[in-house]
Amino acid sequence: MRRIYRLGAWTALTVLALAAGCRGKAETVTPTADRFAADVAFLRQHSEIVVLDDGSGARAAVAPAYQGRVMTSTTGGPGAPSFGWIGRAAVEAGSRQPHMNVFGGEDRFWLGPEGGRYALYFKPGDPFDLDHWQTPEPFDWGAWEIESQSPAQVTVHKRMALSNYAGTRFDIDVERTVRLLPAADVARQIGAADDGSLRIVAFESSNTVANVGDTAWHRDGGLISIWILGQFTPSPRTTIVIPYAAGTVAAAGAVVNDKYFGPVPADRLAIGDNALFFKADGQHRAKIGLSPARALDTAGSYDPDGGVLTLVQYSRPGDDEAYVNSMWDAAADPYAGDVVNSYNDGPAAPGKPPLGPFYELETSSPALALAPGGRYTHIHRTIHVRGPLAGLDRIARSMLKVSLAQVTCAFSSHCAAAQENP
């Protein structure tokens, strides 16, 4: 049975004291070499990299050769951290790998559904297992064309044709724009104090899919969705936080779907009153998702050792929209899918290496029933914040509906008494 926390309103002093007790001395961020510059230098040995720069120190590295992914980003400042996980082995290999080219990146373009009767990642008739899983080539391998570029923005483009598990063909045009967002504007939007104590990098991808074929896309042949995934570096104490909409199971369904790769153990997934907590340590392969009835427009993660709070936001239409189902199950309802997902990497089987390891924060558009010429745009935004604990805690409370003490202590047994008796 899941641990369900009953956490009342804590005073600011209690929150900070408890967080300090859980983290020991690990919250201090130690200045290091310019990791972002080193990552960009490595990537440029193998492909063209467009570095977006707004002049404030915040930068993001985009790789047109890797389907326009945002490979990594930085707030700038002391230590110049690099936030994206980069698949160095795949980058150095320079040749297409089976199943998936694990290049990494904080924001990459995919299409759903992954599994099910209208799957894009399995050939017709193949079993739904890892040996037969294959990411479609148009968004797994090969450069996308740069359409336009400015100091803080780049647009890439790709025309592709895909067929799903049922044999339905999709002729698709994709336009993808990545832009840096002004840190001052983002700070106001997320509730950061206006005292200059926090460093922020924020970027978004605007992903437009068009039906350029002669046939409308219908539910009975299978629909597709825009699926944006961000890969980040795991650590033993990094925790994913996903707020959820209130409601009884009878009215809103289960809070979380944790059945993708088997139920997630209780010591890795905890459900609180307002949010769920999911370990991001790269040691156990698991995936979770939230349905349209439960998903809100923000998810995130917190790395107490690095002193980094990450937020992911996305464009969200009404709750009555259908979402494609990526479960690896042909019998599953193809339009009972999730809106927000998170994946923690780990060995797929004993003795098998992980893909990374990394963890992912993912968002999806609704199922796209587009007529010829129809278009749809899904926006996915990533925000990283560094700075004093009090400032990060204020943002977590505002955007994720929890304190950082709750996040840091979600899987810590010595915090249990404080949680039960706030």
Side-chain angles (χ1 to χ4, degrees):
M1 183 174 181
R2 296 267 179 255
R3 287 180 290 168
I4 301 180
Y5 301 148
R6 303 298 175 190
L7 301 173
W10 297 356
T11 66
L13 289 177
T14 302
V15 169
L16 297 179
L18 179 54
C22 290
R23 71 179 188 274
K25 298 180 180 180
E27 292 287 354
T28 302
V29 180
T30 302
T32 60
D34 189 334
R35 185 64 189 174
F36 177 82
D39 282 346
V40 170
F42 165 76
L43 291 167
R44 281 179 167 161
Q45 293 175 13
H46 305 279
S47 66
E48 176 187 9
I49 297 296
V50 176
V51 175
L52 306 181
D53 189 336
D54 66 357
S56 70
R59 289 167 288 165
V62 181
Y66 305 142
Q67 305 81 54
R69 301 170 192 231
V70 181
M71 297 301 294
T72 189
S73 65
T74 185
T75 57
S82 189
F83 295 118
W85 180 85
I86 296 173
R88 289 178 173 251
V91 170
E92 289 179 324
S95 59
R96 193 176 180 197
Q97 304 298 305
H99 304 299
M100 171 187 177
N101 289 285
V102 193
F103 297 125
E106 295 190 63
D107 181 315
R108 77 176 186 272
F109 178 92
W110 270 13
L111 293 170
E114 187 174 18
R117 73 186 74 169
Y118 301 130
L120 295 175
Y121 297 70
F122 295 88
K123 294 179 181 178
D126 278 354
F128 295 111
D129 59 35
L130 196 58
D131 288 339
H132 292 86
W133 171 70
Q134 179 62 55
T135 309
E137 181 173 356
F139 48 85
D140 185 54
W141 180 256
W144 288 22
E145 179 185 356
I146 296 177
E147 283 195 339
S148 63
Q149 183 179 342
S150 66
Q153 178 173 305
V154 63
T155 297
V156 295
H157 171 264
K158 179 71 174 182
R159 180 72 64 96
M160 63 185 72
L162 301 172
S163 293
N164 67 13
Y165 199 76
T168 302
R169 178 186 169 98
F170 298 90
D171 292 295
I172 305 166
D173 188 89
V174 181
E175 183 179 89
R176 173 173 160 83
T177 297
V178 178
R179 62 179 62 88
L180 277 179
L181 304 173
D185 293 348
V186 172
R188 287 191 292 270
Q189 292 167 5
I190 64 177
D194 187 20
D195 59 6
S197 62
L198 300 176
R199 298 194 69 95
I200 297 174
V201 59
F203 58 87
E204 69 180 21
S205 65
S206 178
N207 306 273
T208 300
V209 161
N211 178 355
V212 292
D214 298 326
T215 305
W217 300 345
H218 294 291
R219 289 172 65 103
D220 56 2
L223 298 176
I224 63 173
S225 68
I226 301 167
W227 184 11
I228 306 300
L229 309 91
Q231 291 181 321
F232 307 96
T233 302
S235 76
R237 297 202 303 137
T238 296
T239 300
I240 294 155
V241 185
I242 307 181
Y244 64 86
T248 64
V249 172
V255 171
V256 61
N257 171 16
D258 71 341
K259 305 299 192 296
Y260 282 91
F261 302 124
V264 182
D267 62 348
R268 292 186 162 274
L269 176 62
I271 301 175
D273 289 341
N274 303 308
L276 58 86
F277 307 93
F278 183 39
K279 276 193 174 180
D281 60 1
Q283 298 299 309
H284 180 91
R285 183 172 180 258
K287 182 175 178 177
I288 60 173
L290 273 69
S291 70
R294 293 294 190 179
L296 301 177
D297 63 1
T298 303
S301 65
Y302 177 55
D303 171 11
D305 298 328
V308 178
L309 180 65
T310 296
L311 303 173
V312 165
Q313 301 173 311
Y314 65 104
S315 51
R316 171 75 187 275
D319 289 342
D320 58 345
E321 299 285 344
Y323 286 79
V324 302
N325 192 341
S326 281
M327 296 285 289
W328 293 15
D329 181 359
D333 181 343
Y335 300 110
D338 295 322
V339 184
V340 173
N341 292 95
S342 182
Y343 171 78
N344 183 55
D345 195 28
K352 286 193 173 183
L355 288 172
F358 49 79
Y359 73 92
E360 293 182 319
L361 294 169
E362 313 168 5
T363 70
S364 293
S365 76
L368 303 179
L370 299 180
R375 302 166 65 85
Y376 187 90
T377 299
H378 179 74
I379 296 173
H380 180 102
R381 178 177 297 172
T382 304
I383 304 166
H384 299 290
V385 190
R386 300 169 62 219
L389 180 62
L392 299 181
D393 182 72
R394 174 177 173 174
I395 295 170
R397 288 169 174 271
S398 172
M399 304 303 297
L400 299 176
K401 313 305 180 188
V402 294
S403 71
L404 290 186
Q406 291 168 264
V407 180
T408 308
C409 296
F411 301 104
S412 181
S413 59
H414 68 271
C415 293
Q419 290 167 340
E420 292 172 2
N421 301 286

